[in-house]
Amino acid sequence: MKINIKILIMCLLVSSSTYADVYVVIFATHNGKTGHAGIAIDNYQILNYEKEMDNQVVNRYDTTKVFTLTYFDLWPKSDSKSTLLQTLPAEYNLLPGSSSEPTITVESLINKGLPHRNGYLADGILKIKTSPTQDFFLKEYIKQLIDEGIPFNTRTHNCTDFCLQCINYLTDWDITAKELILTKRSNTPNKLYRTLVKKSGVEIEKDAGRLVKGSFMRERVIEGFFRRT
């Protein structure tokens, strides 16, 4: 993993009492909708200032939240029904991709939805407390995953699998979110939400409520079939 040493040193030097947050963003599987999961990380500024201590001027670092997020997720480049169970080229997103793109906040995910999927509003958002150093390493880890470009597969490497890789890297939980779909078990957005809300230290930023109660088999496979017929 290629590390930006300058930023890492500044992260390590900031006060240990400085907190940031990582958000797991859930789009529920219900009423025939497939659902989705993404992960967002707080942005903050690292401030450098001089302070006099013991008659010497020393450099100090501190962090300030800017209340915007960097958002990551995984999609298949093609999601037509005829290719649903195939391994497909992956579309990894790091948003905003540039300073000219709209900023992302918790409020925008709730009220405006994903910037690359217009109108797709977040049904549930869970918050995990972190530190600036944890955030730094997580962002670098996710960028590495994006560079690897592992293909999308609905069974073995879907949006929820991608989020679980990030969550398990960040924590020591080693969790899964698998449920039975036809004859195999796969990680799903609804099960991820239900699994995470039981973990100590996870806070509900937006409660998905009953939207995430149903199974993928019932809400997507069966409901999807009847809605097409």
Side-chain angles (χ1 to χ4, degrees):
M1 183 188 299
K2 186 178 180 181
I3 297 293
N4 187 319
I5 299 298
K6 182 178 179 181
I7 295 178
L8 174 58
I9 290 173
M10 288 192 291
C11 285
L12 293 171
L13 288 173
V14 299
S15 170
S16 59
S17 63
T18 301
Y19 293 99
D21 298 301
V22 167
Y23 301 87
V24 180
V25 187
I26 299 294
F27 305 84
T29 303
H30 70 106
N31 292 336
K33 294 181 180 179
T34 303
H36 186 61
I39 193 159
I41 304 173
D42 264 333
N43 295 323
Y44 46 86
Q45 292 179 322
I46 301 178
L47 306 176
N48 176 216
Y49 61 95
E50 293 182 343
K51 184 176 182 179
E52 186 172 332
M53 297 180 62
D54 298 328
N55 297 321
Q56 290 185 331
V57 176
V58 296
N59 285 326
R60 296 296 300 269
Y61 297 91
D62 203 353
T63 61
T64 302
K65 277 190 179 184
V66 295
F67 298 101
T68 64
L69 305 172
T70 301
Y71 176 86
F72 303 88
D73 69 4
L74 165 66
W75 296 80
K77 285 191 176 179
S78 170
D79 59 357
S80 66
K81 295 179 178 62
S82 62
T83 60
L84 186 60
L85 297 179
Q86 297 179 17
T87 297
L88 302 168
E91 176 187 310
Y92 290 90
N93 291 291
L94 186 165
L95 302 170
S98 69
S99 58
S100 63
E101 295 181 6
T103 58
I104 299 173
T105 64
V106 171
E107 290 73 21
S108 73
L109 288 170
I110 294 171
N111 299 316
K112 297 181 181 179
L114 297 178
H116 59 313
R117 294 289 193 278
N118 191 30
Y120 201 1
L121 307 181
D123 294 308
I125 300 180
L126 301 176
K127 180 168 67 175
I128 304 171
K129 286 290 185 184
T130 59
S131 69
T133 305
Q134 285 178 296
D135 284 3
F136 170 80
F137 277 109
L138 180 58
K139 283 183 179 179
E140 293 299 309
Y141 176 72
I142 297 175
K143 290 174 184 177
Q144 179 183 345
L145 293 180
I146 293 173
D147 289 342
E148 289 175 2
I150 299 173
F152 181 96
N153 185 283
T154 53
R155 286 293 195 181
T156 61
H157 192 64
N158 59 43
C159 60
T160 306
D161 291 297
F162 175 74
C163 285
L164 276 167
Q165 282 182 276
C166 301
I167 295 165
N168 286 330
Y169 176 86
L170 176 68
T171 67
D172 59 358
W173 296 338
D174 193 27
I175 59 174
T176 66
K178 291 185 183 294
E179 59 177 291
L180 185 64
I181 305 172
L182 297 175
T183 60
K184 295 182 180 179
R185 297 178 66 83
S186 297
N187 290 309
T188 66
N190 287 11
K191 187 61 180 295
L192 176 61
Y193 184 97
R194 298 198 306 267
T195 300
L196 286 176
V197 293
K198 298 176 183 177
K199 300 296 293 185
S200 175
V202 174
E203 300 177 15
I204 297 175
E205 192 74 16
K206 180 184 180 183
D207 189 356
R210 298 192 61 81
L211 292 177
V212 292
K213 296 296 184 182
S215 68
F216 192 93
M217 185 69 192
R218 184 180 71 191
E219 297 293 338
R220 176 62 180 91
V221 178
I222 296 174
E223 284 287 338
F225 173 79
F226 282 109
R227 287 173 184 273
R228 292 197 300 271
T229 57

